Amino acid sequence: FKNLDLIASVKEGDTIVVKHPAVKGIPGTMVTGKEIPARDGKDVPLPVGKNTIISPNELELKAAVSGMVYINSRGKVEVEPIHVVTGNVDYSTGNINFHGELVIDGSVMDGFIVHADKDIIIKGNVWKATVTSGGNVIIKGGILGKNVGYISANGSVTAKFVEYCRIKAQKDVL
C-alpha cells in the first residue's frame, strides 16, 4: 500500500520516447481475392518539450535533466526538475523516490520513505519515517522519530527540533 510509484521519475540522459520511422504500407487481400490498397505511414516529429533533447540519430527523446516526466497541454513531453507534493506523504502518495529536488508542503507520516537525489524541503514535520537526500534536508517543522526515524543527507540537515531520531549528515546538523 505504500509503494504506489505515482511519480514518473527519470535521470538525466534516460530515454523517454522512442520513434519508429514511417514505413510503406503493405496491400491486403479481401476474402473474395480483391486487393485492398494500403496507405503509407506518416512521419511524426518527436514531442520535444522543456528539458528534453533529441538523440544524434533523431529517433530518441532523452531527458536533459533529472526529474519528473509528463506530457503538457500541447502534447509535448517535458521534464520538471522539482516535484512539489501538495499535502502529506501518506497512503495517498505512497513512498517517494525522486531523481531531482523534492518539496513537500505537508508532513512525512509514520512508516513512509522519502528519497531524492537532490535537496528535500519539508514544510511540516517528519514522524517515524525515513528521509534520504543526495543534497540537503530542510524541515520547517520538527522531527518526531519515535526511536525509528532516520534522516540522511549528503549535505546538511536543518530542523526546528529533533526527538528520538537518528541523523546522518555529511555537513552540518542544525
Side-chain angles (χ1 to χ4, degrees):
F1 294 117
K2 292 182 180 176
N3 294 324
L4 302 177
D5 293 327
L6 298 175
I7 302 169
S9 184
V10 294
K11 290 185 178 179
E12 180 180 344
D14 283 355
T15 300
I16 304 169
V17 176
V18 176
K19 175 182 173 180
H20 297 280
V23 295
K24 276 190 98 42
I26 301 170
T29 307
M30 292 185 173
V31 291
T32 60
K34 182 179 176 186
E35 186 177 286
I36 303 170
R39 289 182 281 175
D40 293 338
K42 294 181 183 178
D43 190 47
V44 178
L46 285 167
V48 180
K50 186 173 74 172
N51 296 322
T52 60
I53 54 173
I54 298 175
S55 66
N57 66 3
E58 297 184 357
L59 295 177
E60 294 178 339
L61 186 65
K62 296 183 176 278
V65 297
S66 296
M68 180 181 72
V69 65
Y70 67 97
I71 299 173
N72 69 17
S73 60
R74 297 181 328 272
K76 304 293 184 188
V77 176
E78 297 186 351
V79 178
E80 187 63 44
I82 299 173
H83 179 62
V84 178
V85 177
T86 55
N88 296 330
V89 173
D90 54 18
Y91 288 103
S92 65
T93 61
N95 294 330
I96 297 175
N97 184 11
F98 187 65
H99 301 294
E101 185 175 330
L102 186 62
V103 177
I104 300 169
D105 285 341
S107 297
V108 180
M109 307 311 285
D110 284 354
F112 286 89
I113 299 169
V114 174
H115 171 79
D117 290 348
K118 295 186 178 173
D119 292 350
I120 298 175
I121 300 170
I122 301 168
K123 296 183 180 175
N125 297 313
V126 175
W127 298 89
K128 185 174 68 175
T130 301
V131 177
T132 58
S133 169
N136 300 313
V137 175
I138 300 166
I139 302 165
K140 303 289 184 175
I143 305 169
L144 300 144
K146 302 177 186 176
N147 286 326
V148 178
Y150 178 70
I151 311 293
S152 174
N154 282 345
S156 299
V157 175
T158 305
K160 281 190 178 179
F161 65 89
V162 178
E163 289 183 3
Y164 303 106
C165 181
R166 291 182 304 137
I167 297 176
K168 177 183 172 186
Q170 297 299 319
K171 294 186 179 175
D172 300 325
V173 177
L174 306 167

